[in-house]
């Protein structure tokens, strides 16, 4: 595994993407940074992180997703891998908020941004970006954010976490190649935040409605049981959970 450790960069995802366009990188090339000046979150949001307090990492993954229809499998695998690392650290009350926010005690402690591209030869390459809040304790204006230190009241070594996360993802990708994807889906379903509980949602027209999360479909949609007893599937951009 090739590891590139940076002090500061705009975004580790963008840096790794740019590098992979310029040169042939080995599978599992990893980029970390102590600071990101333009950290990217899901759906065009920012990812802010205090200098040298958290894990900000991007991993290049090749030869894993063969079929474009199975692209959500990598989200499942990465989210479950982060959960497994946190479980090993005895972090309790863990959940995955669809599609792939990692929650501890009902607050977000990690976010995942996977950017996929199809190469000229038709192969799919993914940049897996993970932001894990580790030793930062102050989240001004972000009441729903937390960190490992906030939940465990101790400091964690960021390099050790980086190694654990990469090794876990690598190991799980090997399992994926042995057709073990169903076990990752089961684990994802077991950790799904608010599954089976009446929950408030808001759609793109700011209309609020109650529903009960049933499952995440294989193409990554959230299936919700509505008040009129119908079942409806939503894309990420279509709804927001109010919690
Ligand atoms: C989210 O919105 O939940 C996704 C956050 C992803 C943040 C990580 S930090 C490392 C990598 N580089 C980025 O610019 N973003 C991801």
């Amino acid at each position: 595994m090739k590891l590139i450790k940076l002090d500061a960069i705009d975004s580790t995802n963008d840096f790794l993407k740019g590098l992979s366009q310029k040169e042939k990188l080995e599978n599992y090339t990893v980029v970390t940074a102590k600071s990101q000046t333009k950290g990217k979150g899901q759906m065009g949001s920012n990812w802010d992180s205090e200098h040298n307090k958290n894990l900000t990492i991007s991993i290049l993954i090749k030869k894993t997703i063969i079929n474009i229809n199975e692209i959500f499998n990598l989200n499942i695998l990465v989210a479950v891998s982060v959960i497994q690392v946190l479980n090993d650290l005895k972090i309790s009350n863990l959940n995955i908020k669809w599609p792939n926010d990692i929650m501890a005690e009902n607050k977000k402690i990690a976010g995942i941004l996977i950017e996929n591209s199809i190469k000229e030869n038709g192969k799919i390459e993914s940049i897996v970006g993970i932001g894990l809040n580790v030793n930062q304790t102050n989240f001004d204006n972000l009441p729903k954010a937390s960190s490992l230190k906030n939940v465990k009241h101790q400091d964690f070594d960021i390099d050790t976490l980086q190694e654990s996360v990469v090794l876990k993802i690598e190991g799980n990708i090997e399992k994926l190649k042995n057709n073990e994807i169903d076990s990752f889906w089961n684990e994802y379903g077991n950790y799904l935040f608010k599954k089976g509980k009446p929950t408030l949602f808001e759609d793109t027209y700011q209309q609020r409605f109650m529903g009960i999360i049933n499952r995440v479909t294989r193409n990554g949609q959230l299936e919700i049981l509505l008040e009129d007893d119908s079942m409806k599937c939503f894309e990420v951009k279509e709804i927001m959970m109010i919690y």
Side-chain angles (χ1 to χ4, degrees):
M1 178 247 289
K2 181 183 161 95
L3 172 61
I4 303 168
K5 288 175 103 172
L6 303 171
D7 218 47
I9 193 70
D10 49 359
S11 150
T12 54
N13 265 32
D14 284 350
F15 177 85
L16 186 53
K17 204 184 301 166
L19 199 64
S20 78
Q21 282 159 3
K22 271 187 254 146
E23 52 187 271
K24 191 167 167 15
L25 297 174
E26 58 183 81
N27 204 5
Y28 303 117
T29 296
V30 172
V31 177
T32 63
K34 289 183 179 161
S35 282
Q36 293 187 119
T37 52
K38 252 185 160 177
K40 299 194 299 182
Q42 287 166 35
M43 291 196 289
S45 64
N46 299 331
W47 184 260
D48 296 323
S49 176
E50 280 178 18
H51 176 76
N52 211 13
K53 291 269 176 79
N54 303 313
L55 178 64
T56 47
I57 180 172
S58 298
I59 310 163
L60 178 68
I61 310 250
K62 306 192 215 184
K63 301 176 207 150
T64 299
I65 302 296
I66 310 296
N67 184 335
I68 195 82
N69 300 325
E70 291 171 355
I71 215 137
F72 201 74
N73 284 350
L74 189 59
N75 287 64
I76 297 293
L77 182 143
V78 173
V80 166
S81 300
V82 175
I83 288 280
Q84 290 173 346
V85 168
L86 300 182
N87 256 329
D88 293 345
L89 295 172
K90 307 271 179 290
I91 309 293
S92 43
N93 288 321
L94 292 170
N95 284 111
I96 303 170
K97 181 170 161 287
W98 174 78
N100 47 18
D101 288 351
I102 308 298
M103 315 285 286
E105 298 174 353
N106 294 327
K107 291 187 172 184
K108 180 167 171 174
I109 55 164
I112 298 166
L113 175 68
I114 301 183
E115 299 184 85
N116 300 297
S117 55
I118 303 178
K119 299 281 135 189
E120 279 162 14
N121 58 10
K123 298 224 165 99
I124 299 170
E125 264 188 29
S126 308
I127 309 276
V128 172
I130 303 169
L132 170 63
N133 295 333
V134 182
N135 296 323
Q136 181 172 335
T137 51
N138 185 9
F139 294 93
D140 280 343
N141 308 321
L142 289 171
K144 289 176 190 154
S146 190
S147 65
L148 294 182
K149 185 165 181 178
N150 274 354
V151 296
K152 280 296 252 188
H153 309 291
Q154 65 176 80
D155 281 290
F156 289 82
D157 183 67
I158 297 171
D159 287 341
T160 310
L161 281 166
Q162 172 259 305
E163 206 171 67
S164 309
V165 167
V166 176
L167 286 177
K168 191 67 89 179
I169 291 175
E170 278 194 51
N172 282 339
I173 285 179
E174 286 314 306
K175 291 186 180 166
L176 185 75
K177 288 178 180 160
N178 295 331
N179 269 326
E180 289 186 35
I181 190 61
D182 288 354
S183 71
F184 292 113
W185 274 93
N186 286 341
E187 206 165 338
Y188 180 94
N190 291 341
Y191 280 96
L192 193 57
F193 188 58
K194 300 284 185 198
K195 184 179 168 186
K197 295 181 185 150
T199 304
L200 186 61
F201 296 92
E202 188 176 290
D203 66 17
T204 40
Y205 305 100
Q206 276 87 49
Q207 294 295 313
R208 292 191 169 193
F209 61 93
M210 290 299 292
I212 297 178
I213 294 179
N214 186 42
R215 64 173 184 135
V216 174
T217 66
R218 288 279 166 147
N219 59 4
Q221 293 181 323
L222 189 65
E223 189 180 77
I224 299 178
L225 175 67
L226 301 176
E227 277 181 314
D228 64 2
D229 264 354
S230 66
M231 206 64 101
K232 194 171 171 194
C233 288
F234 295 86
E235 298 279 355
V236 177
K237 287 181 190 138
E238 289 177 332
I239 50 163
M240 197 169 77
M241 185 190 288
I242 314 289
Y243 66 99

